[in-house]
Amino acid sequence: MDKKKKIFWIIIAIILILITFRLLPFGTVGAGERGILLRFNAVTGKIYGEGLYFNIPIIEDVKKIDIKIQKEQVNATAASKDLQTVNSTIALNFHIAADKVAKVYQQVGLAYKDRIIDPVLQEAVKASTANFTAEELITKREAVKDQVKELLRKKLDIHGIVVDEFNIVNFEFSKSFNEAIEAKVTAEQQAL
């Protein structure tokens, strides 16, 4: 064989190997993931657990969704019961319910943090913060946290998202409010 024919057959062999690997009828779902079987890009409802799966090349595909605990931290601005502006940093630990990954993928896609979680976090913080005065937000922090967490559970459970933990990382009030609090504390100390 001459050199051109050898190169031709090597290129053909490489192409066949690449096509074979692309068309393999199996794959794996990693730890902490679920695989959603798609047939012609339509969700079939079949969910693969961790391990090996088989599918029909070209016709079927498997999309993987992470079901491990994830964290979303956002800043939220709200008004307290006494109309003080409150800037909060809040953190949510959550995971996708393993039996609802197909529903999440079909209805929301992979952008569930932006489309579902962030707006629900903002809404829950605003609704709960409005039930407490600025002073109560500090003194009853655990009650505020529990109220926000319960609202999050109700709203996110509908979408197949499970709330594992919710934390208020920080509360910040306006500069004028902070100065008023300092003046009040100073006046109380001087009166004593």
Side-chain angles (χ1 to χ4, degrees), residues 21-29 34-48 53-65 105 110:
F21 277 110
R22 172 62 187 120
L23 299 178
L24 284 178
F26 59 87
T28 59
V29 175
R34 291 297 179 266
I36 303 161
L37 181 65
L38 306 176
R39 187 169 292 124
F40 295 114
N41 287 329
V43 175
T44 63
K46 181 167 175 120
I47 300 170
Y48 292 115
Y53 65 82
F54 294 93
N55 65 342
I56 302 168
I58 300 173
I59 295 172
E60 295 178 338
D61 191 19
V62 174
K63 289 290 180 191
K64 297 172 188 166
I65 289 192
Y105 182 78
L110 298 176

Side-chain angles (χ1 to χ4, degrees), residues 35-184:
I36 303 161
L37 181 65
L38 306 176
R39 187 169 292 124
F40 295 114
N41 287 329
V43 175
T44 63
K46 181 167 175 120
I47 300 170
Y48 292 115
E50 300 168 358
L52 191 66
Y53 65 82
F54 294 93
N55 65 342
I56 302 168
I58 300 173
I59 295 172
E60 295 178 338
D61 191 19
V62 174
K63 289 290 180 191
K64 297 172 188 166
I65 289 192
D66 192 352
I67 61 165
K68 295 184 288 270
I69 295 176
Q70 301 175 54
K71 176 186 172 190
E72 183 70 358
Q73 184 167 317
V74 297
N75 295 319
T77 302
S80 64
K81 190 176 187 177
D82 53 355
L83 301 179
Q84 294 298 321
T85 301
V86 182
N87 295 311
S88 309
T89 303
I90 51 177
L92 174 69
N93 290 348
F94 69 93
H95 69 275
I96 306 296
D99 59 332
K100 296 184 180 174
V101 292
K103 175 185 170 190
V104 171
Y105 182 78
Q106 187 174 34
Q107 293 180 355
V108 183
L110 298 176
Y112 49 85
K113 284 184 181 181
D114 295 332
R115 293 182 181 167
I116 302 293
I117 294 174
D118 288 350
V120 168
L121 269 170
Q122 295 284 344
E123 180 187 342
V125 168
K126 287 178 188 205
S128 296
T129 302
N131 294 328
F132 297 90
T133 64
E135 184 180 342
E136 289 174 334
L137 287 172
I138 296 167
T139 60
K140 297 180 179 179
R141 189 179 185 120
E142 198 64 30
V144 176
K145 175 186 164 186
D146 291 342
Q147 193 175 85
V148 174
K149 191 174 180 180
E150 188 57 36
L151 277 171
L152 289 171
R153 278 198 172 119
K154 286 179 185 174
K155 299 234 178 218
L156 293 176
D157 187 53
I158 297 165
H159 299 287
I161 299 169
V162 179
V163 173
D164 293 307
E165 191 55 59
F166 172 78
N167 293 297
I168 300 169
V169 178
N170 190 24
F171 275 132
E172 276 184 26
F173 301 97
S174 67
K175 185 179 177 185
S176 59
F177 180 75
N178 287 337
E179 289 170 357
I181 293 293
E182 285 180 33
K184 178 183 174 185

